[in-house]
Amino acid sequence: MEKVKPPTILAVDSAGGACSAALFVNGAVSRHEWVAISRGHAEILMPMVASVMTGSNYSDLDAIAVTVGPGSYTGLRIGISLVRGLALAAKLKIISVSSFKAIARGAIVLGAAKGPILVALETKRDDLYVQTLDENLDPLSPPACMNPEEVVAAFPEIWCLEHPLVIVGDAVSRLLPVLSKNHNFIIGKGDGLADAAIVAAEAAENILLGLPIQEQLPPLPVYIRPPDVSLPEVNS
């Protein structure tokens, strides 16, 4: 059987509390930049992309990957707009990667225990973005937005399995006060933030598995909740 060449992927993430870019070549990350940052993604993302693409051509890429959320409304727009522009200019396909899946995969890379995974992401409000996945990163529940107490009540079956639930994400600390010794869980390693290096690996795997890839269409952001903006008043 002919060996399939690993795809070359440029990946970016600006969905949450970090900003990163990575170039994936021959089955491994070739160049990588990552920084934790709460705002200012627009100013540093393109320089990061230029840095990781140093010495490489966009024509060498098989696709560009981007996290599509949930996450910051502004951060998502920055990353998706950048990828859309690059893909149009270079005539490349786009691979959308869920922030939940990227962070769960990152925890597995760091050595998460065998068992289901609960990803809890910060919303900067009273609630959290959450989703449960199995150890193969297949969703066990749809993406949702709920407060910590609701998270505990919404998934009663996962707190008493043989293998402890692995909790990951940048909002883990907000869940801990509502959990008790009766909840079978462990906290995954890492900072709970997405990384373009993991996004690139996920995208490459999607290509090798033959999963559908978007043809230069704008990736659809996963907002879950409406953006926190005030609508203009309409005078009657």
Side-chain angles (χ1 to χ4, degrees), residues 3-80:
K3 187 175 181 180
V4 178
K5 179 184 177 182
T8 299
I9 304 287
L10 169 65
V12 302
D13 167 69
S14 59
C19 191
S20 57
L23 181 64
F24 191 87
V25 182
N26 293 326
V29 174
S30 173
R31 298 178 70 91
H32 175 226
E33 292 206 9
W34 183 96
V35 63
I37 183 173
S38 59
R39 58 182 60 190
H41 298 73
E43 288 76 20
I44 67 172
L45 184 56
M46 190 59 214
M48 281 184 166
V49 169
S51 176
V52 301
M53 287 296 294
T54 300
S56 300
N57 297 315
Y58 285 94
S59 58
D60 298 329
L61 299 175
D62 293 295
I64 304 179
V66 61
T67 45
V68 293
S72 159
Y73 179 76
T74 302
L76 287 173
R77 292 181 63 187
I78 291 167
I80 289 175

Side-chain angles (χ1 to χ4, degrees), residues 68-94:
V68 293
S72 159
Y73 179 76
T74 302
L76 287 173
R77 292 181 63 187
I78 291 167
I80 289 175
S81 296
L82 174 62
V83 164
R84 170 65 170 159
L86 293 175
L88 283 173
K91 297 181 173 59
L92 292 167
K93 297 179 179 180
I94 299 172

Side-chain angles (χ1 to χ4, degrees), residues 77-200:
R77 292 181 63 187
I78 291 167
I80 289 175
S81 296
L82 174 62
V83 164
R84 170 65 170 159
L86 293 175
L88 283 173
K91 297 181 173 59
L92 292 167
K93 297 179 179 180
I94 299 172
I95 300 177
S96 299
V97 177
S98 157
S99 297
F100 288 124
K101 195 166 188 178
I103 292 170
R105 185 182 181 114
I108 290 175
V109 169
L110 290 174
K114 183 177 181 180
I117 300 171
L118 170 65
V119 184
L121 303 182
E122 187 60 69
T123 67
K124 305 298 183 182
R125 296 294 184 268
D126 292 336
D127 48 19
L128 314 173
Y129 295 131
V130 295
Q131 186 175 31
T132 55
L133 306 96
D134 66 19
E135 59 193 71
N136 297 314
L137 299 182
D138 293 321
L140 296 173
S141 65
C145 189
M146 57 185 73
N147 64 45
E149 292 80 7
E150 290 172 330
V151 173
V152 176
F155 310 109
E157 71 284 353
I158 64 175
W159 302 107
C160 54
L161 299 176
E162 176 185 358
H163 297 290
L165 175 70
V166 181
I167 306 178
V168 298
D170 62 351
V172 168
S173 62
R174 294 181 56 196
L175 274 178
L176 297 182
V178 299
L179 296 173
S180 73
K181 63 181 180 181
N182 296 322
H183 295 105
N184 186 22
F185 73 93
I186 60 173
I187 298 174
K189 297 178 181 178
D191 51 27
L193 299 171
D195 189 334
I198 300 298
V199 175

